Amino acid sequence: MDILHDTWLWFLQADHWNGDLGIWHRFAEHLYYVLISLVIGALVAQPLGILLGYWRRGAFFAINLFNIGQAFPSLGIILLCIMLLGFNDVPVFIALVALAIPPMLTNTYVGISHADQTLCDAAKAMGMTPLQSLLKVRIPLAMPLIFAGIRTSLLQLIATAVVAAYAGLDGLGRFLIDGLGQRDYPQVIAGSVVISLLAIGCELLMAQVARRWLNFAIPTAG
């Protein structure tokens, strides 16, 4: 129980919250890595997933090609990119974007390609163009799966962004790496708690966003 007490005392120290080495600054750095990677990944995955789901040509090749990114360890990709591109944020973004794309791409493709055919046929019978049918029927029907893919990618990014610290970069992972190096175990536990709370908070936020969107979109699709 001493370690839990020491961790509590670690949280109570003001200098652990403020400054360039404090929780708030590390928190902002972590979110920076995660959100930029998520946005870049979504800009690639969502349009491509919609196109593949609608035309269904080359889907197997494209999805498996992007899934290769999950087969390589993120730390290895970061270290390789640092050797090739230098010591900056780019290697981290390459590794995280490669991790973020597959769940969003796969879920978007499945959602679009497996949209209720009866509703799609009804939209066509009403005189909708293929583009109108895609925007007003298929995409709204696919939104539950699309949101699920985004949530999966987001949680994976939050956890994996910790490896940026292994490469000497910043973020909440610094509490884990520096704490282990200094044998400051309260710092390690505190960092783990903050990362876990960030993941839980983002999951709850995404669940609320998805619920509100679906309450708005599903009646429109029907």
Side-chain angles (χ1 to χ4, degrees), residues 1 39 45 58 63 76 116 182 189:
M1 297 300 293
V39 169
I63 291 175
D116 191 319
Q182 301 165 8
I189 296 175

Side-chain angles (χ1 to χ4, degrees), residues 78-92 94:
I78 291 175
L79 294 177
L80 176 62
C81 291
I82 286 177
M83 294 174 59
L84 297 175
L85 303 175
F87 190 82
N88 51 61
D89 291 343
V90 174
V92 177
I94 292 175

Side-chain angles (χ1 to χ4, degrees), residues 107-136:
N107 279 38
T108 301
Y109 164 74
V110 172
I112 296 296
S113 63
H114 289 77
D116 191 319
Q117 192 59 45
T118 302
L119 293 177
C120 294
D121 292 340
K124 183 177 180 181
M126 292 172 59
M128 286 189 181
T129 66
L131 180 60
Q132 289 175 325
S133 176
L134 176 65
L135 296 177
K136 296 183 179 181

Side-chain angles (χ1 to χ4, degrees), residues 165-183:
Y166 280 99
L169 299 175
D170 301 316
L172 292 173
R174 290 253 54 99
F175 293 123
L176 279 65
I177 305 307
D178 295 343
L180 288 173
Q182 301 165 8
R183 295 189 178 182

Side-chain angles (χ1 to χ4, degrees), residues 33-49 66 93-106 108 149-150 153-154 157:
Y33 291 134
V34 169
L35 295 181
I36 294 297
S37 301
L38 185 69
V39 169
I40 295 174
L43 290 176
V44 175
Q46 303 300 354
L48 183 58
F66 280 100
F93 287 127
I94 292 175
L96 293 182
V97 169
L99 182 70
I101 289 176
M104 292 189 286
L105 176 61
T106 302
T108 301
I150 295 173
S153 293
L154 178 60
L157 289 175

